[in-house]
Each structure stands twice: as structure tokens, then as C-alpha cells.
Amino acid sequence: MSRFVLIPGAGGAAWYWHRVVAELESRGHEAVAVELPAADEKAGLPAYTDLVLDAIGDSGAGVAVVAQSMGGFTAPMVCARRPVDALMLVNAMVPLPGETAGAWWDATGSQEARAAAARAGGYPEEFDLATYFLEDVPPDLAATLMQHERPEAEVAFTQPCAIERWPDVRTCVLAGTDDRFFPYEFQRRIAKERLGVDAEPVPGGHLNALSHPRELAERLAACLDPVQGESGRSGTPGGGPRRAHR
């Protein structure tokens, strides 16, 4: 049995993970999604990190930290302070040491990649929730999600990812094949450039924890297996990948 600690993206709603939590628990794992004070201008990444560390606690079970979207800025800060068995990024932002989320967009070319994918796919380039986040989410879940949505405080976009190097932990990058916000090929490029990792395809769009929870849970569980999770590596951005020995 392993303990999965799941970090949401911007907005900080733990509810986002509820279908994956149920799927992981049905497989005999522990799973906890962390609620983050995303709208609090006095909080931000250090506070998020402390809350995730509290959720990990003193668990004796193998621990996997899972981060979605902007949660990718918090996850490495957590893993730099607490040894874990695996770090799993799901449609996530991959930061460099000291980078801010506000600077990440231009540094990675994410908006240009999103626009190019929209032109190729024949859907609007201008961002809206229905097109880029909710296109494959069941309508009832999309309506409930809107009840949990809240704005991300500006402070979180200005604080650096406070790590000196990428944590020495096996890292799996899971990229939604239908993600319109962070297109699949864009995620593959960033994973390779910044982590030396081959991103693994998983079904669904940016919010695939709601649209494809079973498939995502299966892949998360497999990432803990050093054989099945073969593409997981640990490494230092800019320094090339190393296979984690665990």
C-alpha cells in the first residue's frame, strides 16, 4: 500500500482529485488531496508546501507526490524537504530552480504552443474555460467544478520555486493527449528539455482527473513500480537525467 498526496493546480481545490482518490483507494492505496488557500495573498508557494508536508505526515507507507498544472511549482519544493518514493506531474508546469510561475509562460513558449495547437485543431485560439478546460469533462462535474473555483492570488505567481536543483526522486511526467491548455507535444518538449524525461501519454484533456480518473489512477499506480514506470527518472534540470535507484 502506498500513500498518494495530490496537489491541485491554480485555484487550489482538493475536490478536483476526488474521482482519482476513489480509484486509488479502490486499489488498496491511501490517497489524500490537499486543499490550498489559493485566494489568500498572504499564502503562496511556501504555505502550500507546508500544507502538503503536513498531509504527508510521518506516513510509513511509500509516498508519492502528485501535482497537476500549477501544482508543479509546489511539488519539487515538497520533495526537496521530504524524501518520497516518486514525484508525478500531471499536465503540470515544470519549473527551473528559482523560476516563478509568472515567468514560466514566456520562458517555455506555452502560449505560442497553445495557439499553434488551436490552429491545427480548428478550435478558438482565444482562451475560455469551455474550450480549454472543460471540453471533455462531464457536464454535471463541470458545473460542480465551477462551485469550487476561486482565483489564484497574484503572490503565488511572483514567488520562486525555492529549490537549488530538481529533487533526487524518480519523476514521472504524465501528459494528456487531448490537453488543449498545455498541448501534448509541448509537454513532451518541456519534460525532455528541463528534466531529461520522456513524458508518458494519458487520456484526456487538462482536467483528466475528472474526465478519465480510472485511466489516470492506473498510470499513477504504475509509476510507483520501477519496472512499469520505466520512463521515470530523477535528474537535475540542465544536468541530464539519472535513473533513480530505489
Side-chain angles (χ1 to χ4, degrees):
M1 178 183 71
S2 298
R3 181 175 179 83
F4 288 83
V5 178
L6 302 122
I7 308 172
W15 178 89
Y16 167 72
W17 288 110
H18 76 281
R19 301 188 81 190
V20 170
V21 167
E23 290 285 347
L24 290 170
E25 289 178 342
S26 73
R27 290 163 172 75
H29 299 291
E30 290 184 52
V32 57
V34 184
E35 187 80 14
L36 301 178
D40 186 352
E41 287 287 357
K42 297 180 180 179
L45 300 183
Y48 300 173
T49 300
D50 288 341
L51 287 168
V52 177
L53 288 167
D54 288 344
I56 293 174
D58 297 322
S59 174
V63 173
V65 172
V66 183
Q68 190 263 349
S69 200
M70 190 176 170
F73 268 76
T74 300
M77 293 173 61
V78 170
C79 297
R81 291 174 54 184
R82 166 66 151 84
V84 300
D85 289 87
L87 169 56
M88 304 174 189
L89 303 173
V90 181
N91 298 329
M93 300 167 78
V94 180
L96 295 175
E99 189 173 44
T100 67
W104 183 90
W105 310 95
D106 286 341
T108 60
S110 68
Q111 296 186 66
E112 292 85 352
R114 177 169 65 82
R119 290 192 295 271
Y123 51 87
E125 291 183 40
E126 184 176 355
F127 175 82
D128 67 79
L129 288 175
T131 299
Y132 284 93
F133 281 2
L134 305 177
E135 72 278 8
D136 65 342
V137 176
D140 58 329
L141 291 174
T144 304
L145 175 66
M146 292 301 98
Q147 298 172 20
H148 290 269
E149 274 295 297
R150 52 189 185 273
E152 182 72 38
E154 184 61 28
V155 66
F157 293 97
T158 65
Q159 296 167 327
C161 181
I163 57 174
E164 295 182 358
R165 61 183 181 89
W166 196 260
D168 186 15
V169 59
R170 182 153 50 87
T171 300
C172 294
V173 177
L174 306 181
T177 54
D178 297 317
D179 192 339
R180 293 178 174 179
F181 193 58
F182 296 158
Y184 174 66
E185 292 299 331
F186 165 76
Q187 292 195 56
R188 288 187 63 199
R189 173 173 65 81
I190 296 302
K192 181 62 72 174
E193 289 177 355
R194 295 194 161 201
L195 297 176
V197 166
D198 293 321
E200 302 178 52
V202 288
H206 195 64
L207 303 185
N208 54 0
L210 293 175
S211 61
H212 291 79
R214 179 180 59 81
E215 296 93 331
L216 182 54
E218 287 175 352
R219 193 61 219 148
L220 292 174
C223 282
L224 280 177
D225 186 317
V227 176
Q228 294 187 63
E230 186 64 23
S231 68
R233 304 281 199 283
S234 70
T236 303
R242 291 189 295 115
R243 188 181 300 276
H245 297 284
R246 288 186 178 273

